[in-house]
């Protein structure tokens, strides 16, 4: 039996997890997904460990049901071939760093010249504006910067990673839903929109549902469980004296706090080695390839922790960013809402609630043609009873009768 998205064609330019998992969800639902990969090695997940028959499990588990086409998108011929494929497509999905698709000649404007009604979806790490927008990103960095690691750390004050790449996967699910919503809008209006969402925005919105009560009421915020701009812990001596726990979870302890660093590729591992002043790491056979570094993960993480513990978080952020190594501070919830990148993306909005006063909430993480505003504030109990019943055809007297009998209620001033 054909899936519900049978007949929908998607050109997939994404790599790693968040984008490929999103498009695999759509492929599982019947869409034809054409995955465009670079000729030299393809998607990075093809190269990692846990392999059999020349195939990596990570690639297999995020690219089921797709077709693979290799094109060098930096070459004019490869770009033109990609645009020709997009001409017959319904959706294009890309997760390049912001601005990279435009430099390749595959940004929204260029694609719309050949496919005016296409749904163009962009997935980013840290968002599409602000100083962090163009930085490299991996899941642990989002866990750190979003406050998720602080939530996971609990009362210990020591940030800890969720032991799965939750931000990547939550973003993938959100992206798949937003793309289908955009396809529904196109079916109704004939117009294809630009769907934009970032991992950072998605996780902040994900947390807000259940973990940000202490930061919701403006003026009544809870104090942080973690002190200092870089996340210096208030945890006990037992936590401070447990270096094995520091590095095994990929949140590293610095001189004054905690941070996440992800150096998975050959280029980022080389950058980390330069920033750390350890050229010997590049000559060490344990770290010569992606697969070797995964096989010797404990050694790699222990050495990284040893080096990062010699300087402050802010110093390491500057040094690593200069080498284009993915990194981020591990922030508490209170620090997160004040971070410049959160302000730049606009994910956290202040809303004037008629009953609760000024509150802080996360806007929807997926934007459609730049529409970012959150919906109306949460209603008071029965606030819309009369209006909704009237729209359904009830006369005012009939509504009054339902309310008098207790079948329906309406909100009263001063009531929640």
């Amino acid at each position: 039996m054909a899936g519900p998205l049978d007949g929908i064609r998607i050109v997939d330019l994404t790599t790693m997890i968040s984008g490929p998992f999103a498009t695999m969800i759509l492929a599982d639902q019947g869409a034809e997904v054409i995955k465009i990969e670079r000729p030299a090695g393809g998607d990075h997940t093809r190269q990692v460990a846990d392999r059999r028959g020349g195939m990596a499990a990570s690639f297999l588990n995020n690219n089921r049901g797709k077709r693979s086409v290799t094109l060098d998108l930096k070459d004019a011929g490869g770009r033109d071939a990609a645009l020709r494929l997009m001409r017959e497509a319904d959706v294009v999905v890309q997760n390049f760093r912001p601005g990279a698709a435009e430099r390749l000649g595959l940004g929204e404007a260029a694609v719309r010249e050949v496919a005016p009604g296409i749904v163009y979806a962009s997935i980013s790490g840290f968002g599409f504006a602000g100083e962090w927008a163009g930085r490299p990103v991996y899941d642990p960095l989002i866990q750190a910067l979003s406050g998720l690691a602080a939530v996971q750390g609990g009362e210990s004050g020591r940030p800890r990673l969720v032991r799965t790449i939750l931000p990547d996967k939550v973003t993938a699910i959100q992206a798949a839903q937003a793309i289908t919503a955009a396809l529904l809008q196109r079916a109704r209006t004939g117009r294809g929109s630009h769907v934009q969402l970032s991992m950072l925005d998605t996780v902040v919105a994900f947390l807000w549902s259940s973990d940000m009560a202490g930061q919701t009421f403006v003026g009544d915020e809870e104090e942080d469980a973690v002190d200092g701009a870089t996340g210096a812990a208030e945890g006990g001596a037992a936590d401070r004296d447990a270096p094995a726990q520091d590095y095994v979870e990929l949140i590293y302890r610095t001189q004054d706090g905690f941070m996440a660093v992800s150096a998975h590729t050959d280029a980022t591992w080389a950058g980390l080695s330069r920033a750390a002043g350890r050229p010997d790491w590049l000559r060490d056979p344990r770290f010569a390839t992606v697969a070797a570094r995964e096989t010797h993960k404990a050694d790699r993480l222990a050495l990284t922790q040893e080096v990062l513990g010699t300087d402050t978080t802010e110093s390491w952020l500057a040094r690593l960013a200069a080498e284009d190594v993915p990194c981020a501070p591990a922030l508490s919830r209170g620090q997160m809402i004040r971070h410049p990148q959160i302000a730049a993306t606009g994910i956290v909005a202040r809303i004037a609630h008629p009953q609760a006063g000024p509150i802080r909430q996360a806007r929807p993480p997926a934007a459609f043609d730049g529409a970012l505003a959150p919906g109306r504030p949460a209603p008071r109990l029965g606030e819309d009873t009369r209006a909704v019943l009237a729209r359904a055809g009830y006369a005012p007297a009939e509504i009054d009768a339902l309310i008098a009998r207790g079948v329906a209620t309406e909100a009263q001033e001063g009531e929640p």
Side-chain angles (χ1 to χ4, degrees), residues 191-213:
R191 183 178 61 85
S193 58
H194 186 180
V195 178
Q196 292 178 285
L197 73 160
S198 74
M199 292 173 65
L200 180 61
D201 286 357
T202 300
V203 175
V204 169
F206 177 82
L207 290 176
W208 219 280
S209 172
S210 61
D211 303 291
M212 298 299 292

Side-chain angles (χ1 to χ4, degrees), residues 132-384:
W132 287 63
R135 295 190 183 188
V137 65
Y138 289 101
D139 193 278
L141 280 62
I142 299 299
Q143 293 203 38
L145 191 63
S146 68
L148 175 57
V151 172
Q152 185 71 5
E155 296 180 358
S156 71
R158 193 255 188 265
R160 298 189 184 279
L161 294 183
V162 178
R163 289 184 177 272
T164 185
I165 53 170
L166 184 145
D168 269 300
K169 292 186 280 190
V170 171
T171 302
I173 295 167
Q174 178 75 60
Q177 187 279 327
I179 289 168
T180 53
L183 286 169
L184 176 60
Q185 179 189 51
R186 191 183 71 161
R188 289 173 168 173
T189 68
R191 183 178 61 85
S193 58
H194 186 180
V195 178
Q196 292 178 285
L197 73 160
S198 74
M199 292 173 65
L200 180 61
D201 286 357
T202 300
V203 175
V204 169
F206 177 82
L207 290 176
W208 219 280
S209 172
S210 61
D211 303 291
M212 298 299 292
Q215 306 300 328
T216 296
F217 298 108
V218 176
D220 292 317
E221 295 85 358
E222 290 182 358
E223 293 185 6
D224 285 336
V226 178
D227 182 37
T230 56
E234 295 177 341
D239 183 69
R240 291 194 296 271
D241 295 337
Q245 289 300 316
D246 286 349
Y247 67 74
V248 78
E249 297 195 26
L250 297 178
I251 294 285
Y252 298 97
R253 185 184 296 279
T254 66
Q255 276 188 351
D256 62 350
F258 300 99
M259 67 184 300
V261 179
S262 296
H264 299 299
T265 67
D266 291 337
T268 55
W269 176 250
L272 174 60
S273 302
R274 290 191 297 269
R278 293 295 301 268
D280 56 299
W281 290 355
L282 299 177
R283 300 189 294 272
D284 193 319
R286 294 174 299 172
F287 312 134
T289 64
V290 172
R293 289 192 292 275
E294 289 190 3
T295 301
H296 299 282
K297 181 178 181 179
D299 294 343
R300 171 172 57 87
L301 298 179
L303 288 172
T304 303
Q305 173 59 72
E306 180 182 330
V307 168
L308 293 180
T310 64
D311 208 344
T312 65
T313 301
E314 287 301 319
S315 176
W316 279 117
L317 288 172
R319 291 163 65 176
L320 293 169
E323 296 289 351
D324 208 29
V325 177
C327 58
L331 302 180
S332 70
R333 281 169 271 196
Q335 292 164 355
M336 178 272 286
I337 66 173
R338 299 190 297 270
H339 193 275
Q341 189 59 25
I342 296 297
T345 68
I347 180 60
V348 178
R350 284 184 57 160
I351 302 169
H353 193 281
Q355 191 75 21
I359 64 173
R360 185 182 289 111
Q361 290 188 323
R363 63 161 171 78
F368 299 85
D369 292 333
L372 303 176
R376 54 181 289 187
R380 293 174 294 145
L381 181 63
E383 180 177 337
D384 304 293

